[in-house]
């Protein structure tokens, strides 16, 4: 698991560096419209929105890694801390929230990737015994899955079980 954390963190570092590069290019290009045309034609750096979405996907994966490495005998207890002394489930929840915010801003609050993150959040809330937010997230998942014509039966069952 340590190697996986290192790889996720390195991936985030690289994507954030790419995002910073793109922002600097956009700032420079905005100052001079001719440069903007040249930068767009000559540069293969993805646009900021695409990079943000990739960062969000990486954050979601990192959150899932925190969830899977949490070794709680009692899922209602948040006493299992990682090497930094932080509860991995709380860390995962914060990462999921950040992911959901980014995806909602960059894609849409109704995008299928938001439904995936909402499912992960609902499962985590349920795992920790925080049933009200779990029900809210499962309801969001059902709405989004149905909106896209996807099977929402698993989310419905989980929602009913909370």
């Amino acid at each position: 698991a340590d190697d996986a954390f290192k790889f996720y963190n390195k991936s985030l570092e690289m994507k954030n560096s790419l995002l910073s590069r793109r922002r600097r290019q956009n700032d420079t290009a905005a100052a001079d419209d001719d440069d903007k045309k040249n930068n767009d034609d000559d540069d293969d750096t993805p646009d900021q929105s695409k990079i943000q979405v990739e960062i969000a996907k990486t954050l979601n994966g990192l959150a899932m890694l925190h969830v899977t490495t949490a070794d709680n005998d009692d899922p209602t207890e948040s006493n299992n801390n990682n090497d930094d002394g932080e509860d991995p489930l709380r860390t995962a929840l914060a990462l999921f929230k950040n992911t959901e915010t980014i995806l909602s801003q960059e894609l849409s609050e109704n995008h299928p990737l938001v439904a995936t993150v909402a499912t992960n959040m609902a499962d985590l809330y349920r795992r920790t015994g925080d049933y009200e937010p779990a029900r809210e997230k499962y309801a969001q998942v059902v709405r989004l899955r149905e909106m896209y014509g996807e099977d929402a039966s698993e989310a419905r069952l989980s929602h009913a079980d909370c």
Side-chain angles (χ1 to χ4, degrees):
D2 287 341
D3 285 343
F5 280 111
K6 287 177 190 173
F7 289 128
Y8 271 108
N9 287 323
K10 182 64 176 173
S11 177
L12 282 173
E13 179 184 317
M14 291 167 54
K15 290 171 184 173
N16 281 315
S17 175
L18 187 60
L19 181 61
S20 293
R21 176 178 162 204
R22 173 48 79 186
R23 285 181 176 155
R24 283 191 306 275
Q25 289 171 340
N26 287 350
D27 290 345
T28 301
D32 184 347
D33 287 340
D34 290 335
D35 285 345
K36 183 178 188 312
K37 287 181 184 176
N38 291 336
N39 283 341
D40 286 346
D41 292 340
D42 297 337
D43 188 23
D44 61 352
T45 305
D47 68 27
Q48 288 185 47
S49 182
K50 288 179 183 176
I51 299 168
Q52 288 279 30
V53 169
E54 290 305 313
I55 288 171
K57 289 177 184 178
T58 303
L59 290 172
N60 185 66
L62 184 58
M64 290 301 298
L65 183 59
H66 278 281
V67 170
T68 58
T69 59
D71 186 26
N72 280 334
D73 293 329
D74 182 357
T76 61
E77 293 293 321
S78 292
N79 59 2
N80 184 32
N81 296 332
N82 59 24
D83 292 340
D84 298 332
E86 295 187 23
D87 178 0
L89 297 180
R90 288 179 200 241
T91 301
L93 183 59
L95 290 168
F96 284 141
K97 287 178 179 181
N98 193 5
T99 301
E100 185 178 46
T101 298
I102 293 169
L103 292 175
S104 294
Q105 290 172 348
E106 298 300 327
L107 300 173
S108 160
E109 64 184 20
N110 295 323
H111 195 277
L113 287 175
V114 174
T116 299
V117 176
T119 300
N120 295 340
M121 290 175 71
D123 291 345
L124 180 56
Y125 280 129
R126 183 174 173 206
R127 174 179 174 169
T128 59
D130 203 353
Y131 297 113
E132 185 57 35
R135 279 190 290 275
E136 292 170 10
K137 285 294 171 188
Y138 283 127
Q140 176 187 6
V141 171
V142 168
R143 180 182 59 79
L144 292 174
R145 297 259 185 248
E146 288 176 344
M147 179 185 300
Y148 286 97
E150 297 175 3
D151 181 15
S153 58
E154 187 176 329
R156 269 193 217 92
L157 288 173
S158 297
H159 180 263
D161 200 29
C162 285

